[in-house]
Amino acid sequence: MNLMGTGLLLRFALRRDRVLVSAWVLVLLATVAASAAAAGPLYATEAERVAAAEALDASPAIVALYGPILDTTSLGELSMAKMTVLYAVFVAFMSVVLVRRHTRVEEETGRAELVGATAVGADAPTAAAVLEAALASLLLGVLAAVADIACGLPVVGSLLFGASWTGIGLVGAGIALLAAQLSSSARSVGFLASATIGALYLLRVVGDTTSASWLSWLTPFGWGTQLSAWSQPRVWLLLGYLLLAGALAVGALALRRRRDLGSGVLPDRPGPAVGSPRLRDAAALVVRQQATALVGWTVGIAVIGALMGSIVPSIGDLLDTDRTRAIVEAMGGVGRLQDSLVFAIASVVAVVITFFGIGAVTRAAGEEHDGRTETVLATATSRRLLLLAVGGSAVLGSTWLLLVAGVATALGRGDGFGAVGASLVQAPAVWLVLALSLLLLSVRSRWAVAGWALLALFVTVGQVGPGVGLPDWVLGLSPFHHVPRYPAEVFTWPPEVVMTAVSAVALLAAWTRYRSRDIG
Amino acid sequence: MAGVSNPIEVHGLVKTFGRTRALDGLDLELVPGEVHGFLGPNGAGKSTTIRVLLGLLGSDAGTATVFGLDPWRDATEIHRRLAYVPGDVSLWPNLSGGETIDLLLRMRGIDPRGTRRDELLQRFELDPTKKGRAYSKGNRQKVALVAAFAAPVDLLVLDEPTSGLDPLMEQVFNECVAEHGAAGTTVLLSSHILSEVERLADRVTIIRGGRTVESGTLDELRHLRRNRVRAEVAGKVPDLSRLEGVHDLDVDGRVVSASVEPAGLPGLLAALTAAGVLSLTSTPPTLEELFLDAYRSTS
């Protein structure tokens, strides 16, 4: 191992990622704190906790998504149910993003060569990337534990829960590091790592919902639950994270030594020698660039939608105790409750779909930064067509995904197609966020990344705001706040029309600016 | 502008980025069918000028026209008639070289099937099946060059196009430019590689600090410049230091060398003849010297 210069590279990486890491950690912390703070008053007595936990455990769909609750009397386990398994995915993804960014992306752009030619050790860039992800995971774990303790949850449980997050972060880093050795394409590395995480999550889903429960012990996403952080913990299970992450890292390092800088272990497949006549203009180019991602998103959204939809019919049974029945009746009966859930699902999925759209916009900013926009605009391609292609791929792609989500939810629910409407009702809010992102891109290509910050802000306000009692005008900053709560409430046109109109104005402003600014 | 418009006309062009004045009253004129060398050190404003001419950047003052049209307003119309090779070619990582070439041609409104792309792929020894991310710098350059040379155009805009090419490929590049030149294509060839421009260009424009320093045919520029004269005489070297138009005098035994303005040549030759000249060489300045001279005079 030649690690000379690792410290320098680590400091450099931390400096480059200071906004990214801080934002990621803060958003996750905010959700932890909000969940922990909300659970106490909601489930004040043990009887209430047991009722809620048993209700959750009774629904295979919820167990599939969040994993089971082992100790139904534990407040900590109940309040952290979502965090322990589902949100752990976002922790793993943080490490994937960081490691990929400092390994394969650097190699693909040739910057790794620049660094490699200086007096840093051959293994230093890899070590720095892993160390950075490990530090971020550790920071996130510690702060998550602190947040839980501050919100009144038991100390030991909080620490173990935090440790499980750090653990899954380390595993994510290991997965990304291994993937980075395999393919020479940074995009493929992202795809490989995401698919691996998806597969490990699915393994847990099968283990938790079928009799083959041993499967949950094979995947790190099952360990969060099996750790049993809040009562009779299996502390030794934390070693699992360390061993798995270590094994992945060692494997990756061995592969790293056997390949050249810039190449991958998997061979690069040759492409066609001649371009298809369909690949003929900027619009076709954008479609080609987005096609793979859109197919992946379509499959992913369809699975999530179907899974969420299948929860809906069981929601009435879940809460079928004497006391809850009274509440449900007061709220308008089981049908109304199901409608509320359909709305809730649609609003969450809409936010996820917005990620796709913003990704399409920021990709265009990357194209401009790398000089490819210049190449395109030096042909007979007009700026109008290019902006239309970029905006169209973001807006139409997202709208298509909303439709997929709605249909999948409806099929999962198996009771008519009301969910399709619920999903499409979200469209104006998604459009508005995307129009604002396009405006940022049009003002200055470097500003496009602020689209992520905008979305993070809206999500945080929407997720955390109601819990901590933020004033209405703050909640109203997020377009998603204004979407009619259809089908739980009657559909109203005004907010939809207003948001669509504001989107149109933003797009018009974007076009006016884009046609008159310097490119590059 | 009177009569038929030149392919490129730039007068007093100014472009600022914040406080930096990238172009500071630049002039550039290309006549139809010429290969025009556009010379300047790094940061002189060559690429900025080209980007303004392509309508990618706006200008702050002055005028720029391509085919008599406004590059900002009529960009697509202009671009149908030209091909551009950037100095630093960036390719789509997941598109093969062949796909990229065909896409670039189609985006210019040209069907690749009727072009010379296959012949050029062979001449440039380029494998079109590799993915964009797998090409070296030189091969990325070749992808852009094949796309630019494959079909006839009215104007080729080449921004330091041979960076990363080996000498053999440079030779192929030179042939391609010559072929297009012979077919009547106007070529704007930006470069800091002087030999390449010297071989290909009919006229050159030398810029520095966003301004035009010199412009003309190589002959015209040489005419204004001093020849390097070196002579060996039989007897004692006469005192030449008082002669008009003779500079940088250097006497080493019976060998004398000096830079001589055209006006100083008769006087110098008379003095050397009187001293019994044995050998005499006179070398016109290379473009390199013109270049250095132009820089010196403005710095």
Side-chain angles (χ1 to χ4, degrees):
Chain A
M1 293 281 277
N2 185 348
L3 296 171
M4 192 156 71
T6 304
L8 181 70
L9 290 176
L10 176 62
R11 283 205 305 278
F12 181 52
L14 286 170
R15 159 142 183 87
R16 274 182 65 194
D17 298 339
R18 61 198 187 282
V19 177
L20 180 75
V21 171
S22 318
W24 208 301
V25 167
L26 281 178
V27 169
L28 282 175
L29 277 184
T31 48
V32 167
S35 304
L42 208 56
Y43 311 109
T45 69
E46 187 172 308
E48 282 169 318
R49 291 202 288 274
V50 171
E54 281 176 350
L56 293 176
D57 277 346
S59 160
I62 287 182
V63 171
L65 210 57
Y66 298 155
I69 292 173
L70 302 183
D71 178 1
T72 50
T73 61
S74 160
L75 177 63
E77 188 163 358
L78 182 62
S79 62
M80 289 295 112
K82 267 201 255 183
M83 307 292 134
T84 306
V85 176
L86 182 61
Y87 281 54
V89 173
F90 299 115
V91 179
F93 267 115
M94 176 178 75
S95 292
V96 168
V97 167
L98 291 178
V99 169
R100 171 178 167 275
R101 193 170 144 83
H102 291 287
T103 54
R104 181 52 73 180
V105 172
E106 290 289 284
E107 285 188 51
E108 193 179 81
T109 54
R111 289 193 291 261
E113 212 173 300
L114 203 63
V115 171
T118 65
V120 303
D123 301 309
T126 313
V130 172
L131 272 178
E132 192 203 17
L135 275 179
S137 305
L138 187 65
L139 178 79
L140 182 57
V142 169
L143 290 178
V146 169
D148 272 354
I149 295 168
C151 292
L153 294 179
V155 174
V156 175
S158 300
L159 288 176
L160 286 173
F161 163 71
S164 79
W165 265 22
T166 300
I168 204 76
L170 293 176
V171 170
I175 289 171
L177 195 64
L178 194 62
Q181 313 311 317
L182 295 181
S183 171
S184 65
S185 149
R187 288 191 79 186
S188 301
V189 168
F191 182 77
L192 275 174
S194 308
T196 308
I197 287 177
L200 290 174
Y201 196 81
L202 217 58
L203 200 60
R204 182 205 58 77
V205 170
V206 176
D208 283 351
T209 52
T210 66
S211 55
S213 59
W214 53 275
L215 283 175
S216 300
W217 288 85
L218 294 184
T219 156
F221 291 101
W223 300 343
T225 308
Q226 302 305 335
L227 178 64
S228 185
W230 306 95
S231 45
Q232 294 156 345
R234 304 181 177 109
V235 182
W236 53 268
L237 204 48
L238 289 176
L239 273 179
Y241 294 112
L242 282 178
L243 289 176
L244 179 58
L248 287 166
V250 167
L253 274 179
L255 289 177
R256 169 75 189 79
R257 297 244 171 85
R258 292 169 64 177
R259 68 178 182 89
D260 295 329
L261 195 69
S263 70
V265 172
L266 302 176
D268 234 351
R269 276 173 305 166
V274 180
S276 150
R278 271 174 305 174
L279 187 60
R280 54 195 287 270
D281 56 20
L285 175 64
V286 171
V287 168
R288 165 76 186 264
Q289 298 293 100
Q290 300 285 359
T292 319
L294 190 60
V295 169
W297 272 84
T298 302
V299 172
I301 289 292
V303 171
I304 293 175
L307 203 61
M308 297 282 225
S310 65
I311 300 176
V312 175
S314 55
I315 190 79
D317 317 338
L318 295 183
L319 303 174
D320 202 11
T321 62
D322 286 341
R323 213 172 55 82
T324 49
R325 195 179 300 126
I327 300 173
V328 169
E329 291 305 324
M331 286 171 67
V334 169
R336 178 60 67 81
L337 201 63
Q338 292 191 357
D339 287 343
S340 295
L341 191 60
V342 166
F343 165 74
I345 292 167
S347 58
V348 169
V349 173
V351 168
V352 174
I353 287 172
T354 313
F355 275 79
F356 168 83
I358 294 183
V361 176
T362 49
R363 166 180 288 272
E367 292 275 302
E368 182 167 343
H369 178 260
D370 292 345
R372 291 189 286 270
T373 302
E374 182 182 305
T375 307
V376 169
L377 287 179
T379 68
T381 305
S382 65
R383 292 189 184 202
R384 185 206 315 257
L385 175 64
L386 189 57
L387 190 68
L388 262 177
V390 171
S393 75
V395 170
L396 295 181
S398 304
T399 311
W400 156 255
L401 290 175
L402 285 173
L403 183 66
V404 169
V407 171
T409 310
L411 291 177
R413 183 185 181 185
D415 181 22
F417 281 85
V420 179
S423 191
L424 290 180
V425 161
Q426 302 283 335
V430 176
W431 292 341
L432 182 50
V433 180
L434 296 183
L436 292 175
S437 298
L438 276 165
L439 183 58
L440 284 166
L441 170 76
S442 297
V443 171
R444 194 163 294 176
S445 63
R446 282 170 196 284
W447 287 11
V449 289
W452 294 119
L454 212 56
L455 182 59
L457 176 77
F458 294 156
V459 170
T460 312
V461 164
Q463 287 284 307
V464 180
V468 297
L470 286 178
D472 243 17
W473 69 266
V474 178
L475 297 178
L477 287 177
S478 167
F480 297 104
H481 180 71
H482 300 285
V483 173
R485 302 174 68 81
Y486 177 83
E489 293 168 17
V490 284
F491 175 76
T492 51
W493 279 106
E496 302 280 87
V497 172
V498 168
M499 280 196 285
T500 307
V502 175
S503 306
V505 171
L507 286 176
L508 208 63
W511 162 237
T512 313
R513 169 66 188 164
Y514 190 71
R515 68 197 291 194
S516 65
R517 80 159 160 89
D518 290 347
I519 297 294
Chain B
M1 222 181 324
V4 181
S5 47
N6 278 327
I8 290 178
E9 289 253 11
V10 175
H11 298 291
L13 194 65
V14 175
K15 174 69 187 176
T16 56
F17 297 107
R19 272 189 221 156
T20 324
R21 219 171 160 80
L23 299 181
D24 189 15
L26 185 123
D27 299 308
L28 176 68
E29 206 176 299
L30 268 69
V31 297
E34 73 166 329
V35 177
H36 193 104
F38 191 37
L39 290 164
N42 295 326
K46 300 188 295 291
S47 295
T48 305
T49 308
I50 286 173
R51 289 191 177 122
V52 171
L53 290 171
L54 290 171
L56 298 167
L57 301 180
S59 59
D60 297 305
T63 60
T65 60
V66 181
F67 307 125
L69 300 168
D70 178 354
W72 187 254
R73 224 186 35 232
D74 309 313
T76 48
E77 200 175 325
I78 292 169
H79 294 169
R80 250 179 257 285
R81 299 173 58 187
L82 64 77
Y84 165 57
V85 176
D88 189 6
V89 178
S90 171
L91 302 176
W92 291 275
N94 57 342
L95 257 58
S96 72
E99 284 181 298
T100 306
I101 290 166
D102 290 357
L103 172 67
L104 289 174
L105 284 166
R106 289 194 169 100
M107 287 199 296
R108 281 162 46 204
I110 296 163
D111 185 347
R113 277 166 298 190
T115 65
R116 298 168 55 201
R117 80 185 277 282
D118 293 340
E119 173 210 327
L120 286 165
L121 283 173
Q122 284 197 344
R123 282 169 73 183
F124 277 107
E125 297 172 14
L126 181 69
D127 175 4
T129 63
K130 271 196 176 185
K131 294 284 177 67
R133 76 176 86 84
Y135 284 118
S136 67
K137 178 171 167 49
N139 282 332
R140 289 203 302 270
Q141 204 77 29
K142 288 182 193 172
V143 169
L145 286 171
V146 170
F149 286 138
V153 279
D154 294 330
L155 176 64
L156 276 170
V157 180
L158 311 173
D159 191 1
E160 306 205 347
T162 57
S163 49
L165 294 188
D166 61 48
L168 280 176
M169 289 304 132
E170 257 183 76
Q171 186 55 42
V172 178
F173 167 80
N174 290 344
E175 289 165 19
C176 288
V177 172
E179 288 160 19
H180 277 266
T185 304
T186 311
V187 182
L188 178 63
L189 176 62
S190 133
S191 181
H192 55 233
I193 301 170
L194 306 163
S195 56
E196 159 184 300
V197 171
E198 201 164 18
R199 202 172 317 139
L200 295 170
D202 304 307
R203 294 198 307 143
V204 299
T205 293
I206 301 179
I207 68 164
R208 178 189 169 80
R211 271 175 205 268
T212 306
V213 180
E214 293 273 17
S215 191
T217 65
L218 292 174
D219 286 343
E220 276 168 2
L221 295 181
R222 284 197 186 100
H223 179 71
L224 297 170
R225 289 290 168 258
R226 304 157 182 175
N227 279 355
R228 190 76 191 162
V229 174
R230 184 190 146 92
E232 191 178 357
V233 291
K236 190 175 176 294
V237 175
D239 181 12
L240 304 168
S241 59
R242 277 173 302 161
L243 288 173
E244 282 289 310
V246 176
H247 309 272
D248 307 332
L249 195 64
D250 181 38
V251 180
D252 179 14
R254 289 184 299 165
V255 176
V256 61
S257 59
S259 296
V260 188
E261 291 173 18
L265 270 176
L268 178 71
L269 288 180
L272 289 173
T273 311
V277 63
L278 295 175
S279 76
L280 178 73
T281 56
S282 173
T283 344
T286 62
L287 197 49
E288 195 105 42
E289 286 160 327
L290 294 184
F291 208 45
L292 291 172
D293 225 21
Y295 291 165
R296 259 204 303 270
S297 59
T298 53
S299 56

